[in-house]
Amino acid sequence: MTLHETYLQLESTCATTIDVGLAIEGYNDRKLLTWDSVEHSISLWFAFVGGADYIGFNLCLQAILVSGIWCSYSQGCCHQEAVKMTGKESQIPLLTPYKMGKFELSHRVVLAPLTRQRSYGNVPQPHAILYYSQRTTKGGLLISEATGVSDTAQGYPDTPGIWTKEQIEAWKPIVDAVHAKGGIFFCQIWHAGRVSNSGFQPNGQAPISSSEKELANQVQSNDNDVERFTPPRKLTTEEIPLVVDDFRVAARNAIDAGFDGVEIHGAHGYLIDQFMKDEINDRTDQYGGSLENRCRFALEIIDAIVKEIGADKVGIRLSPFANYMESGDSNPKALGLYMAESLSEYKILYCHMVEPRMKYVDEKVDCPHSLVPMRKAFKGTFISAGGYEMEDGNNVVVENRTDLVAYGRLFLANPDLPKRFELNAPLNKYNRDMFYTSDPVIGYTDYPFLETAV
Ligand SMILES: Cc1cc2nc3c(=O)[nH]c(=O)nc-3n(C[C@H](O)[C@H](O)[C@H](O)COP(=O)(O)O)c2cc1C
């Protein structure tokens, strides 16, 4: 049996073989394996178990990886990569370097975007200099908290914006501090859409959305505060290009503030997601109905920003499987795939996806879905996020199911997270009650570093 036939037979035995395939391909891409060594491993395994079943298959993967790495190393094939894997980093795949476009990342532990609601009056504050700089490493990638693109974009108190001169100026020292330590800093640009209320809107007007569907009030993740929403106003077809333009200008402003690029917030039930997800979007114009129509708004934003600042500075965050803020979709896999394929055509730098297990805010759920099809479909850098700890972060990198892993709550509470991973040191626990309070220090910049932790 040829390798290809073997592989097809294995793939037909269970859904997870796609992971295996990707892992094999990943190793092969990086020239850690020769196909011969893969074939050898598979046939060894077949000889051992006399067939492939689910458990056998996972063991088979391990056999392939272990023997493949060993083969390529011992045969001196592509010894540079193999030598890397035998060094200190071999135990810590998250801490291996990665080239993301023109950015030389020294490791793969990314600071996920984290709203902290400490930007009084929507203006970034000096205390953010310390906060972001604490979480900066030389060659590390940081993504800023969600940052409003216009005066209609806010849905929470004291979230930062990037549509006024004052806001741009206020971001500059924060970005400079990250750069001074060698970090790479992307600004997450955002519009909350209907996840807002008239109190956050100019002249007390209704928040805008793809629909007039109202959102039920929600208890915040600190279990105390209740978010109250007022009925949204459906954007007219003619108004949509104006909002697209707000994103374009915000991206330009972010570059002017010194950011290395922007991440478009297309996740978690906010405005862009309100267009993409069929449980919200009930439009009958060219922005509603078919998958292509529902993704049009997101792709027009991509197009405008790519033209404005260049595809090499553009990423997007998507959460096709999540249904935060009542933003479910009847076919999240098709949505994720369509977006991954379309984004590839724009050649944007990265696609950042939230794991299907983060269907609900905060907690992981058991889930049969995976991001692997989207990872395969997207041609640029892939970032995975959602519920990661060190071990599964290392695994997802080793298995080539992602390039980078974004950490939210663990990074919030551990400013030196990559160092702690390197040393396998204990982690500080995060304090949920302080996620969204306005204190400039407590629960913000006072999480201890390893050296000072008791
Ligand atoms: C306090 C807090 C604020 C968050 N703010 C944002 C945000 O501004 N933009 C965003 O895309 N996701 C936001 N998220 C989601 C995180 O980026 C991340 O996807 C989520 O916490 C799951 O990852 P984790 O398990 O590593 O924390 C936030 C999460 C938390 C806990």
Side-chain angles (χ1 to χ4, degrees):
M1 195 170 2
T2 65
L3 173 67
H4 188 61
E5 287 164 345
T6 312
Y7 183 69
L8 286 181
Q9 180 180 338
L10 295 174
E11 203 171 25
S12 65
T13 60
C14 77
T16 61
T17 56
I18 193 161
D19 292 348
V20 176
L22 200 68
I24 296 170
E25 279 169 30
Y27 274 90
N28 204 43
D29 278 354
R30 290 157 59 198
K31 305 209 171 21
L32 280 170
L33 288 184
T34 61
W35 280 111
D36 282 346
S37 65
V38 176
E39 192 161 14
H40 180 65
S41 308
I42 291 178
S43 46
L44 273 181
W45 174 250
F46 264 75
F48 185 49
V49 296
D53 56 21
Y54 179 79
I55 298 170
F57 203 78
N58 282 324
L59 289 171
C60 176
L61 166 64
Q62 284 168 23
I64 291 166
L65 296 183
V66 170
S67 61
I69 291 167
W70 180 83
C71 277
S72 59
Y73 180 57
S74 64
Q75 288 162 13
C77 129
C78 300
H79 56 93
Q80 257 187 324
E81 282 285 333
V83 166
K84 256 190 214 158
M85 295 294 289
T86 61
K88 193 174 157 210
E89 298 92 338
S90 62
Q91 286 90 48
I92 312 173
L94 279 168
L95 301 185
T96 53
Y98 174 79
K99 190 161 167 32
M100 180 177 78
K102 63 183 173 188
F103 303 104
E104 302 277 358
L105 305 186
S106 62
H107 60 79
R108 296 159 189 256
V109 182
V110 177
L111 175 68
L114 292 165
T115 291
R116 306 307 312 275
Q117 294 184 220
R118 286 154 164 94
S119 296
Y120 314 136
N122 305 129
V123 178
Q125 298 293 309
H127 43 250
I129 298 174
L130 179 59
Y131 170 76
Y132 282 108
S133 123
Q134 284 178 332
R135 284 157 186 77
T136 304
T137 47
K138 189 167 169 14
L141 174 63
L142 294 83
I143 304 166
S144 82
E145 61 212 275
T147 300
V149 296
S150 70
D151 61 355
T152 63
Q154 275 56 239
Y156 306 92
D158 296 331
T159 51
I162 192 138
W163 74 91
T164 69
K165 185 87 185 120
E166 183 189 10
Q167 291 162 341
I168 299 168
E169 291 305 315
W171 271 116
K172 283 183 180 171
I174 304 168
V175 180
D176 287 348
V178 170
H179 285 159
K181 287 179 77 177
I184 294 134
F185 202 7
F186 273 55
C187 183
Q188 190 186 55
I189 53 175
W190 171 59
H191 196 301
R194 70 172 183 166
V195 186
S196 183
N197 67 51
S198 49
F200 293 118
Q201 298 298 320
N203 307 318
Q205 67 193 32
I208 57 171
S209 182
S210 61
S211 156
E212 284 171 3
K213 284 187 196 164
E214 201 175 333
L215 191 57
N217 292 338
Q218 310 217 352
V219 179
Q220 268 201 346
S221 67
N222 61 12
D223 292 333
N224 289 326
D225 301 328
V226 177
E227 287 177 69
R228 296 182 198 285
F229 308 108
T230 44
R233 178 177 73 77
K234 186 189 272 195
L235 282 166
T236 65
T237 312
E238 294 69 36
E239 286 176 304
I240 291 175
L242 304 176
V243 184
V244 172
D245 204 56
D246 287 339
F247 274 91
R248 178 190 65 78
V249 172
R252 165 55 54 200
N253 291 347
I255 299 300
D256 289 350
F259 282 103
D260 297 289
V262 296
E263 173 174 292
I264 297 155
H265 195 344
H268 297 160
Y270 297 112
L271 184 63
I272 296 176
D273 218 16
Q274 290 159 30
F275 274 82
M276 286 190 287
K277 301 285 185 61
D278 63 6
E279 283 180 17
I280 305 177
N281 186 332
D282 56 0
R283 304 181 70 88
T284 53
D285 61 5
Q286 67 266 37
Y287 294 94
S290 67
L291 186 53
E292 290 77 359
N293 279 357
R294 284 182 280 118
C295 294
R296 189 181 308 281
F297 178 57
L299 295 174
E300 284 182 356
I301 290 172
I302 293 281
D303 186 50
I305 294 181
V306 163
K307 285 180 179 141
E308 182 69 35
I309 65 170
D312 59 340
K313 299 183 203 70
V314 180
I316 188 168
R317 190 174 222 214
L318 299 170
S319 60
F321 293 91
N323 79 346
Y324 308 167
M325 303 294 173
E326 301 170 26
S327 66
D329 192 85
S330 59
N331 193 346
K333 185 176 169 193
L335 171 61
L337 265 177
Y338 177 78
M339 281 302 290
E341 283 161 6
S342 308
L343 294 169
S344 295
E345 288 171 24
Y346 289 96
K347 299 190 168 41
I348 61 169
L349 183 65
Y350 74 75
C351 176
H352 181 179
M353 273 204 194
V354 178
E355 288 285 349
R357 63 187 175 190
M358 301 305 285
K359 184 168 181 183
Y360 307 107
V361 182
D362 285 346
E363 295 317 324
K364 304 189 236 193
V365 293
D366 284 340
C367 175
H369 302 291
S370 127
L371 296 181
V372 169
M374 282 61 94
R375 192 276 196 276
K376 284 192 101 172
F378 181 67
K379 301 298 174 231
T381 294
F382 199 82
I383 308 179
S384 299
Y388 276 102
E389 295 176 30
M390 184 174 81
E391 193 181 346
D392 56 351
N394 278 326
N395 290 341
V396 74
V397 170
V398 166
E399 291 162 14
N400 198 21
R401 287 189 278 124
T402 197
D403 297 308
L404 308 173
V405 183
Y407 286 87
R409 289 162 293 178
L410 295 189
F411 223 148
L412 182 156
N414 294 274
D416 50 358
L417 189 64
K419 172 62 85 186
R420 288 181 193 242
F421 283 171
E422 184 186 333
L423 302 175
N424 199 14
L427 300 180
N428 300 324
K429 289 194 173 24
Y430 53 82
N431 180 358
R432 201 182 286 272
D433 291 342
M434 304 306 287
F435 280 175
Y436 305 110
T437 53
S438 58
D439 196 289
V441 176
I442 300 168
Y444 189 54
T445 51
D446 64 346
Y447 283 105
F449 283 75
L450 205 47
E451 307 86 77
T452 51
V454 184

